């Protein structure tokens, strides 16, 4: 079984300040972990993924995430928020015998203030 | 190249009617997934196709839901006798097989079909 917990349902930052979106996972297997972003009325877009290679993963638009097995975490960070980053972010896990089925967290809505 | 497409983009139906939702995956992608996004339940897996076969149907919520895939390409999700709790955005995703295994493959999502059951 696998599950994901996104620790914050809403995060609000000012433009130019760092972003931290927290995610903890549970998996019986070595997981693959993803972050997807969904802008209003748009489809899901992959930001980055971890698949057992480097634990620090760099994604699009300056986002990165670090896989920490000891903490079962995969937090998403960005050094400097931009107005266009305002969206909903989903932490996702896959692995084991799940046929690639994705298990989504509940989502974190990021608001960026000017 | 073209991404995953879904039709219709919006569907409004009356309770008790049947609906069909269509997904066109990225050309050459052998794996196809359906998910549902609703306010109360978040994003949930429904069914997985590899080619025309569905090895995992574990997420289909009831026997009113069915799906098929033909020619290893287009997939149709059918909901019979729709209920108000079926109102949601239905998302389709596809992926191509890589050497790392299904769980490492990137799934590319379509824009979704917003279903409203009155």
């Amino acid at each position: 079984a696998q599950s994901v917990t996104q620790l914050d349902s809403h995060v609000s930052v000012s433009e130019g300040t760092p972003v931290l979106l927290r995610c903890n996972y549970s998996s019986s297997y070595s997981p693959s972990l993803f972050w997807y972003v969904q802008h209003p009325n748009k489809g899901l877009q992959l930001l980055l993924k971890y698949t057992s290679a480097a634990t620090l993963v760099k994604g699009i638009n300056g986002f990165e995430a670090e896989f920490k097995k000891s903490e079962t975490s995969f937090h998403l960070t960005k050094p400097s928020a931009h107005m266009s980053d305002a969206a909903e972010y989903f932490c996702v896990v896959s692995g084991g015998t799940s046929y690639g089925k994705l298990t989504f967290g509940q989502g974190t809505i990021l608001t960026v203030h000017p | 190249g073209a991404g995953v497409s879904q039709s219709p983009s919006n569907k409004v139906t009356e309770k008790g009617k049947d609906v069909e939702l269509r997904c066109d995956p990225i050309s050459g992608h052998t794996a196809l997934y359906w998910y549902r996004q609703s306010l109360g339940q978040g994003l949930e897996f429904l069914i997985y196709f590899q080619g025309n076969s569905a090895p995992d149907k574990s997420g289909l919520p009831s026997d009113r839901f069915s799906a098929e895939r033909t020619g290893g390409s287009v997939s149709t999700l059918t909901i019979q006798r729709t209920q108000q709790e079926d109102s949601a955005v239905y998302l389709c995703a596809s992926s191509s097989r890589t050497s790392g295994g299904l769980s490492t493959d990137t799934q590319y999502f379509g824009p979704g079909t917003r279903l409203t059951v009155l």
Side-chain angles (χ1 to χ4, degrees):
Chain A
Q2 53 196 25
S3 65
V4 174
T5 302
Q6 292 184 242
L7 300 171
D8 306 291
S9 58
H10 291 81
V11 170
S12 181
V13 301
S14 297
E15 190 175 22
T17 64
V19 175
L20 170 63
L21 305 183
R22 298 181 296 164
C23 171
N24 287 112
Y25 70 91
S26 174
S27 177
S28 303
Y29 305 91
S30 295
S32 294
L33 292 158
F34 308 78
W35 277 97
Y36 278 85
V37 61
Q38 187 175 39
H39 287 90
N41 300 313
K42 296 286 181 65
L44 287 159
Q45 180 184 20
L46 179 71
L47 277 179
L48 49 81
K49 69 177 182 181
Y50 165 78
T51 59
S52 79
T55 56
L56 182 62
V57 182
K58 294 188 184 299
I60 61 172
N61 300 332
F63 285 95
E64 63 181 39
E66 186 171 8
F67 173 72
K68 291 187 176 180
K69 185 175 180 179
S70 61
E71 299 177 9
T72 61
S73 69
F74 191 59
H75 303 332
L76 182 70
T77 60
K78 182 174 180 177
S80 176
H82 191 273
M83 295 296 291
S84 60
D85 295 329
E88 188 164 18
Y89 293 77
F90 293 93
C91 184
V92 184
V93 66
S94 178
T97 58
S98 67
Y99 292 110
K101 173 178 74 176
L102 300 180
T103 300
F104 286 79
Q106 289 300 306
T108 298
I109 295 173
L110 176 65
T111 302
V112 182
H113 297 288
Chain B
V4 177
S5 61
Q6 293 184 246
S7 60
S9 55
N10 280 283
K11 176 72 176 177
V12 180
T13 191
E14 293 180 349
K15 178 181 172 181
K17 301 282 190 183
D18 297 351
V19 296
E20 284 190 353
L21 311 180
R22 177 187 167 107
C23 171
D24 281 274
I26 293 172
S27 177
H29 281 193
T30 57
L32 185 147
Y33 301 80
W34 283 97
Y35 296 87
R36 180 169 72 173
Q37 185 173 25
S38 58
L39 280 176
Q41 302 299 320
L43 270 152
E44 306 171 285
F45 164 81
L46 296 178
I47 187 170
Y48 157 63
F49 285 94
Q50 183 61 43
N52 293 336
S53 300
D56 189 354
K57 308 178 184 180
S58 63
L60 294 179
S62 75
D63 58 8
R64 295 186 296 104
F65 287 71
S66 63
E68 66 174 10
R69 189 178 184 195
T70 56
S73 181
V74 172
S75 176
T76 303
L77 178 68
T78 301
I79 309 173
Q80 297 178 307
R81 305 182 302 281
T82 52
Q83 304 294 311
Q84 289 182 332
E85 61 263 27
D86 300 334
S87 295
V89 176
Y90 289 82
L91 295 167
C92 176
S94 69
S95 67
S96 63
R97 288 307 315 277
T98 63
S99 60
L102 276 170
S103 66
T104 66
D105 297 338
T106 296
Q107 293 183 27
Y108 296 88
F109 283 81
T113 293
R114 181 175 298 277
L115 175 65
T116 303
V117 181
L118 302 177

